[in-house]
Amino acid sequence: MRGTRTAAAIIACCAVLASASGCTTKQANESQPGSDLPTPTVQAKGDAIVVAVAPDQPIAVAVPGLGHLTAPAGTFSAPGKLIARRLQSDSQDGSLVVVGGSGVDVAFEGTSLVSPITVLFDDPAATRDLPKDALPVVLHKPDGGDWEAKLLSRTADGVPYISTREFSPNLLGWIPIPGWIRNLADSFADFTTQRTDARPCGGPAAPGWSSVDKRTTLVHLCSITNADRAEIQVQSNRRFYQWVGVPAGADYIWVEGQPDPLRRVIAKVTGHDIGSNVLLAGNGRFTAGYKQPAQTARKDFNAYLDPWSAGLSVGISVLGLNPSTNVSSAVLIVAKCVTQLLPFPSADGAKAFLGCFVTQALKNLENPDVALSAAKDLFGEAAYAKEAEEGLKQAKDRLRYLGRFLKVAGIITSTFPQLPDLFSSWGNDQPGRFTLELKGRPAPQATQPTGGSGGNQSTPPAPSSRTPCRRTTTTAPPTPVVRCAGATRATAGRCRAAPRRRRSWSRPGFLPSTTCWCRSIPTPPSQAT
């Protein structure tokens, strides 16, 4: 199901940060060299611990001040000896990784490893200084190599451990996790569980010729009357971005926080049609108005997700910006990384996307002038390009820390506890669909004949609400008949010279007037002589 695949993708995107919240994981032993790693001085502490081993025997070796080394039967290739040495080290300030001070090194005599040994850091002395919200790691120094960090997993009861075949020095350490990263992990978890409160439906009641059929939990719906239109108000019931397909015929579309110029930019970059798609932010809202049609019609809307909406949801959270007002900043970087999520997000693609997003955002900050020029080319509009760059500058401290973090810790690809399905309310058949039903206008009434001997007569049409002006005439009293000769004319009972005739004109269908142009009004049949 698409919803399930998207959920897995978003969970994979937040894996690095969600682990900081104490998730139980399976093995997570990816390592990544980095300049933020310390270079501690290490020395052995106490006597070596020597244990006889054999292929058919499991082991459980206690290392005081550290924990246990465990392995099942079949771990060793032949009978021999395991020699464990407890290590201690100094701590250094200024690096991303804090050194805990204790560690272990293991050597073998007469045998070799067939499968990994698990190092459990379950001695309270080893984890006494480990902060609850820190990300535990092991600092490992390969023979002849540089120090590297390996992420630890946790058992069901929270004990950090690592399973490994590499037993040059392994020191317990951790990466302190700032509060904003913990909040970010919480925000990703909110994607799967959190809903929004429906806002009041502002406006007069919807017209009687409209109704709404809601068949999804992805949005809140209500409808009102706006002038002579039925307006549907759509509010997201999720904390992530989603698209809503809008049916044709809308008299207007208004999107909260997205003026039409910004909507055109989003449509251009993402390849969505502005007239039929709305990008709805988490808890965001949009409205669409429809006039009453001549014939009854169904307007089918559909809320849905795609790689763009998934990428924007993760990106805006990483940046720590307002999803309703700073979407342009996320669009700018997602455009460079969305190919990692095509044709539809996968776990590996989501992992690559997160790394790409942080890397590209940091590159953008390195040369602001070049970045702004590229943003203008992408958006085709200077104002929103500048707005996008300003948003990235606000997030520069977060991005720089994440850049350091990713260099040291890499991306966790282990299996995490299953979070509630991001789209548990979705089915397979248009799970985000809702409908606005519009009844057609009533048919005009047929004319009715009137009584009398005048034959078929019709009732004159009702006057328009805009009554045309009409010349007012007054019946003058009768005057004596005077006959005049030549170019004279009887006026007021006397013969006067006739005035010169002036040419006159009128607009078609209008009568000239001293005050206005009046449309000629046909005389109703009942008044004809």
Side-chain angles (χ1 to χ4, degrees), residues 192-198 213-221 234-240 242 280 302-303 421-427 430-434:
T192 65
T193 60
Q194 205 169 70
R195 302 295 185 261
T196 65
D197 295 327
D213 181 12
K214 178 184 176 184
R215 304 192 298 279
T216 178
T217 63
L218 287 174
V219 294
H220 301 293
L221 300 175
V234 184
Q235 176 194 343
S236 174
N237 191 26
R238 296 294 188 272
R239 296 291 181 182
F240 49 79
Q242 55 183 311
L280 191 59
N302 188 49
D421 189 346
L422 180 56
F423 310 114
S424 58
S425 63
W426 283 43
Q430 298 295 341
R433 179 172 289 178
F434 53 97

Side-chain angles (χ1 to χ4, degrees), residues 17-18 21 179 181-191 193-194:
L17 306 170
S21 300
I181 287 189
R182 291 194 297 272
N183 293 337
L184 179 56
D186 291 340
S187 74
F188 282 125
D190 287 346
F191 283 168
T193 60
Q194 205 169 70

Side-chain angles (χ1 to χ4, degrees), residues 134-150:
L135 184 65
V137 299
V138 157
L139 282 171
H140 174 247
K141 192 174 189 302
D143 292 335
D146 296 324
W147 287 98
E148 61 184 3
K150 293 184 175 183

Side-chain angles (χ1 to χ4, degrees), residues 59 85 93 96 165 189 193 250 263 294 357 401 433 451 465 492 510:
I59 63 166
R85 290 181 173 86
D93 296 330
L96 187 67
R165 296 186 183 191
T193 60
R263 290 191 63 221
F357 187 91
Y401 185 90
R433 179 172 289 178
S465 59
F510 285 78

